[in-house]
């Protein structure tokens, strides 16, 4: 089966933004509830903002409504913009991977649990916005990662089958979602250590370790 498409997560895969995306929760929860939530983000990595808000409110036994979850998600996103402005960089090596993918005539997409506004902001800040055939965001699917919905939706829109697709992820929930979709799953150890990513089909320390041309030949 010929490789047709590559689907990228955004934070931690395309954009070196996890420290800002996660750190926004520290700023917000301190401001709203005078809480120090710490820097262990394992439970929220890969989640959309409403699910992350729900996690923190339940952890600290704070009553909430669906409306409050959406309010906090919006405030978190605004905080992310404020603390990351002019500080975002592409993940090292990603430009070469995108170049190689285009040279191989592969379709490329972004599938991220973030909002479309946040994805567009992060990609624009790093000069990557115009590189992709399409962007799939949290609002495009009913079920967030670790459900495979977001990757299955991306494949359908790219007209690519799971066994013709590669997903590149950095979070545990993203890896679970990708594997459940049937795609070949590559994990990059930007956010979690290598030993936590072994459920992926291939684990790389950086994009310097990824030979896309060899992988394309393997599919062919």
């Amino acid at each position: 089966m010929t490789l047709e498409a590559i689907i990228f997560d955004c934070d931690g895969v395309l954009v070196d933004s996890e420290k800002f995306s996660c750190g926004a929760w520290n700023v917000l929860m301190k401001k709203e509830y005078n809480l120090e939530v710490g820097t262990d983000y394992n439970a929220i990595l890969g989640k959309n903002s409403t699910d992350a808000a729900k996690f923190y409110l339940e952890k600290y036994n704070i009553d909430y409504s669906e409306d409050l979850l959406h309010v906090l998600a919006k405030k978190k996103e605004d905080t992310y913009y404020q603390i990351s402005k002019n500080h975002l960089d592409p993940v090292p090596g990603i430009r070469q991977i995108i170049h190689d993918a285009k040279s191989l005539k592969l379709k490329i997409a972004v599938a991220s649990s973030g909002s479309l506004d946040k994805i567009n902001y992060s990609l624009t800040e790093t000069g990557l916005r115009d590189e992709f055939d399409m962007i799939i965001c949290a609002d495009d699917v009913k079920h967030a990662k670790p459900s495979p919905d977001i990757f299955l939706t991306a494949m359908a829109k790219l007209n690519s089958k799971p066994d013709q697709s590669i997903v590149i992820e950095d979070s545990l929930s993203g890896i679970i979602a990708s594997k459940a979709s049937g795609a070949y799953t590559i994990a990059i150890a930007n956010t979690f250590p290598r030993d936590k990513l072994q459920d992926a089909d291939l684990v790389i320390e950086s994009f310097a370790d990824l030979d896309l041309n060899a992988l394309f030949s393997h599919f062919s």
Side-chain angles (χ1 to χ4, degrees), residues 38-196:
T39 56
D40 181 354
Y41 304 117
N42 288 353
I44 65 167
L45 285 166
K47 291 182 180 293
N48 61 37
S49 291
T50 53
D51 285 346
K54 182 178 179 180
F55 166 79
Y56 280 123
L57 294 180
E58 289 182 346
K59 179 178 179 180
Y60 293 101
N61 298 310
I62 299 170
D63 291 334
Y64 63 88
S65 63
E66 288 298 315
D67 285 344
L68 178 59
L69 294 181
H70 289 291
V71 168
L72 288 176
K74 177 63 167 62
K75 288 184 176 181
K76 181 265 179 179
E77 195 158 290
D78 289 341
T79 302
Y80 168 73
Y81 298 147
Q82 292 165 12
I83 65 177
S84 67
K85 186 67 177 176
N86 299 322
H87 294 294
L88 294 179
D89 294 304
V91 168
I94 189 57
R95 292 188 188 279
Q96 184 63 49
I97 296 299
I98 292 171
H99 175 271
D100 292 346
K102 291 185 174 184
S103 295
L104 292 167
K105 309 299 184 185
L106 300 177
K107 293 169 279 191
I108 57 175
V110 180
S112 168
S113 297
S115 70
L116 184 59
D117 285 345
K118 182 184 179 226
I119 299 166
N120 279 329
Y121 163 83
S122 296
L123 295 179
T124 299
E125 283 285 298
T126 52
L128 296 174
R129 176 60 186 86
D130 296 329
E131 299 289 356
F132 301 95
D133 297 309
M134 68 180 56
I135 294 172
I136 310 299
C137 70
D139 294 336
D140 294 320
V141 294
K142 183 176 181 180
H143 301 292
K145 301 171 189 177
S147 164
D149 291 22
I150 198 163
F151 295 126
L152 292 172
T153 298
M155 291 174 212
K157 291 191 174 186
L158 291 172
N159 195 29
S160 177
K161 297 176 182 178
D163 58 1
Q164 298 174 308
S165 305
I166 288 174
V167 169
I168 304 182
E169 264 285 356
D170 69 317
S171 73
L172 302 184
S173 62
I175 292 168
I176 294 169
S178 175
K179 291 292 290 182
S181 78
Y184 185 88
T185 304
I186 298 174
I188 184 167
N190 283 340
T191 305
F192 287 91
R194 187 184 192 95
D195 64 314
K196 299 288 188 183

